[in-house]
Amino acid sequence: MEITKICCIGAGYVGGPTMAVIAQKCPHIQVTVVDLNEQRIKDWNDPNTDNIPIYEPGLAEIVAEARGRNLFFSTEVEKAIDEAQIIFISVNTPTKTYGKGKGMAADLKYIELCARQIAKVAKQNKIVVEKSTLPVRTAEAIKSILDNTGNGVQFQILSNPEFLAEGTAVTDLLNPDRILIGGDTTHEGETAINALVNVYANWVNRDKILTTNVWSSELSKLTANAFLAQRISSINAMSELCEKTGADVNEVAKAIGMDSRIGPKFLKASVGFGGSCFQKDILNLVYIAKTYGLNEVADYWEQVIIMNDHQKRRFSNKIVQTLYNTVADKKITFLGWAFKKDTNDTRESAAIYVADDLINEQAKISVYDPKVSRNKMLSDLDYLGTRTSDENINSLTIFEDAYDACKGSHAIAVLTEWDEFTTYDWQKIYESMHKPAFVFDGRNILDAKKLESIGFVYKGIGS
Ligand code: UDX
Ligand code: ADP
């Protein structure tokens, strides 16, 4: 089957960049990304590609090249579904906030809605691809909806999880470690798998394209994220021990990372991991394990989240304790709000929780982040529901300039590892602050010795 038309439902952090790269690399395929959110589509169509809704290095250039040629952003969901041979589902699957599995299971209402819409509209056979991370056996649920409510057309469901990391989405998409495609082992299933393999083979070496059954593919995505998050919680656990024993977690990470069996990546101790995937996927894994009565398995993985929550709280506690056990009315400046550098995404960012803790202690928080908007920061805090919007507005001041944000503050907390923070004139910042001036480096990116020689009291993670 020669694929000439693809549609992607969901123009978010996964759907947008992934489809932009497919369109760039496959000029013979028309790629249409649809979303219910009109503003989001309007932003993707902004003539100035610097204004597209997702910031990722290199993405604006790719959108500029492909948009209008074979890449389209639209709110006409049904038209795009009708025309496409392959439909990617890239909608959000947040953790459930109600009912059975509340706080753990993935909320599949958006996925189900997509499946029902596809079933309603499709008049020809289609390949439906799960791109969003989903609990194991979701494909089965999608298939059941499609087969029982559709117009008698044949659907093949594939699982093709996306492994891109935000901030490096474009390079990850252009040079993936692997592409994973799970599908039915029937003849029709294999034909569908091949059709998708051929799309990726336009730029990815076939050796790197793995095909499996659907369940293995779905579970591999959850497992990969759980292992990555586990490494961070493991090194963060060690960071607390380092602080008590006089060891330095950076030195420990380097020493163990040189063991080729362990490897050097993902060993940076931090204020705690954030992002839309790690916590959600582990909770999902825990929920699935519990559903099958595998309580030890569930408890094992849940500990990764418990450790991460502890690390965030430990960071805010340390700020309060160090500032003589009170931060009431003290100005504390956050450098960074995004959950990692090079993204404007703030989902589950440690900054939100640390800010919440410190505001509970009546601190006044100033924030500078090069890519996150004021409204986003305030809505992140509002979403927690700890206090009213007006109270949040009174407690959080957002600056466009880092030096202005730091002026007159008692302490600086580095929440995101933006490169620019390391290039600042720290002498100038020191002079503008209350003394003693504290720096809490939640990312261990600043030069401790240099800051101490200026006069700062420097506190990193795990040293
Ligand atoms: C992750 C996976 O890496 C990716 O494969 C999957 O598709 C989606 O989830 P992402 O959440 O975008 O990607 O970013 P990632 O680079 O994994 O970082 C997640 C969090 O862990 C960030 O808050 C980051 O700052 C933190 N982190 C990462 C650490 O604290 N220490 C590290 O060593 C690495
Ligand atoms: P992710 O990080 O998984 O890409 P996002 O929240 O960034 O998640 O993006 C998901 C997008 O999916 C949102 O823009 C949302 O509006 C869109 N969406 C959710 N349900 C539907 C639907 N039924 N039809 C079209 N778009 C949808």
Side-chain angles (χ1 to χ4, degrees), residues 1-293:
M1 190 192 332
E2 175 69 15
I3 301 299
T4 53
K5 285 198 173 132
I6 286 177
C7 146
C8 172
I9 307 179
Y13 282 90
V14 173
T18 311
M19 293 303 127
V21 167
I22 292 183
Q24 189 206 30
K25 292 294 175 185
C26 311
H28 55 287
I29 300 178
Q30 180 183 312
V31 181
T32 307
V33 190
V34 291
D35 204 296
L36 296 173
N37 183 333
E38 287 181 15
Q39 185 59 44
R40 208 162 210 187
I41 291 299
K42 204 164 156 241
D43 292 342
W44 277 110
N45 283 322
D46 195 303
N48 179 355
T49 48
D50 286 339
N51 296 334
I52 56 176
I54 286 167
Y55 173 72
E56 279 291 339
L59 181 60
E61 291 80 352
I62 293 180
V63 170
E65 178 188 333
R67 198 179 56 190
R69 179 187 73 188
N70 64 325
L71 175 64
F72 302 93
F73 294 93
S74 160
T75 49
E76 291 184 274
V77 181
E78 298 199 346
K79 177 167 179 279
I81 292 174
D82 179 33
E83 290 177 353
Q85 297 147 296
I86 298 187
I87 301 159
F88 285 88
I89 303 184
S90 288
V91 301
N92 34 336
T93 49
T95 303
K96 266 185 99 174
T97 52
Y98 55 88
K100 191 161 174 277
K102 178 178 169 186
M104 284 201 150
D107 191 340
L108 297 179
K109 68 178 175 201
Y110 302 105
I111 297 277
E112 177 166 344
L113 212 74
C114 285
R116 289 192 184 280
Q117 209 160 11
I118 296 169
K120 188 177 107 194
V121 174
K123 294 192 264 322
Q124 284 128 21
N125 297 351
K126 308 232 178 252
I127 299 171
V128 176
V129 184
E130 299 175 348
K131 201 50 162 160
S132 326
T133 307
L134 296 167
V136 187
R137 302 204 84 90
T138 305
E140 203 170 40
I142 297 180
K143 186 152 181 52
S144 159
I145 293 169
L146 290 174
D147 287 348
N148 290 302
T149 49
N151 310 320
V153 301
Q154 295 293 311
F155 294 100
Q156 279 301 320
I157 321 293
L158 302 181
S159 159
N160 170 220
E162 185 44 65
F163 294 102
L164 69 81
E166 290 176 32
T168 52
V170 171
T171 44
D172 292 345
L173 287 163
L174 292 174
N175 305 300
D177 285 346
R178 78 311 208 177
I179 296 287
L180 182 57
I181 301 174
D184 272 358
T185 43
T186 57
H187 173 68
E188 293 80 9
E190 278 165 13
T191 309
I193 291 175
N194 280 337
L196 189 56
V197 167
N198 289 336
V199 172
Y200 284 107
N202 281 293
W203 78 99
V204 181
N205 196 316
R206 282 179 189 268
D207 299 346
K208 289 190 170 175
I209 306 179
L210 285 183
T211 59
T212 64
N213 76 33
V214 181
W215 325 127
S216 301
S217 171
E218 287 181 336
L219 188 59
S220 298
K221 170 69 185 188
L222 292 184
T223 309
N225 277 345
F227 270 55
L228 290 169
Q230 182 199 40
R231 268 174 84 93
I232 303 169
S233 278
S234 297
I235 199 71
N236 281 344
M238 290 306 157
S239 76
E240 190 170 13
L241 197 56
C242 285
E243 288 170 28
K244 297 283 180 223
T245 57
D248 178 333
V249 78
N250 298 317
E251 292 177 351
V252 173
K254 188 167 180 195
I256 64 165
M258 284 171 79
D259 184 325
S260 60
R261 293 168 302 176
I262 296 176
K265 293 184 183 165
F266 259 73
L267 284 179
K268 279 194 219 94
S270 68
V271 54
F273 60 75
S276 70
C277 284
F278 285 172
Q279 171 158 318
K280 182 185 78 177
D281 288 356
I282 291 179
L283 288 172
N284 219 318
L285 201 60
V286 170
Y287 184 71
I288 294 166
K290 281 197 176 150
T291 308
Y292 289 112

Side-chain angles (χ1 to χ4, degrees), residues 11-14 17 40 43-44 49-57 59 164-169 274-276 336-349 351-352 368-380 416-418:
Y13 282 90
V14 173
R40 208 162 210 187
D43 292 342
W44 277 110
T49 48
D50 286 339
N51 296 334
I52 56 176
I54 286 167
Y55 173 72
E56 279 291 339
L59 181 60
L164 69 81
E166 290 176 32
T168 52
S276 70
W337 188 268
F339 82 96
K340 62 186 280 198
K341 74 173 180 178
D342 292 338
T343 178
N344 60 350
D345 194 352
T346 62
R347 286 176 287 180
E348 290 301 327
S349 180
I352 304 168
Y368 165 77
D369 186 290
K371 290 289 174 196
V372 180
S373 70
R374 177 175 190 274
N375 286 347
K376 188 83 208 54
M377 295 182 200
L378 288 169
S379 73
D380 286 339
T416 314
E417 71 281 24
W418 287 101

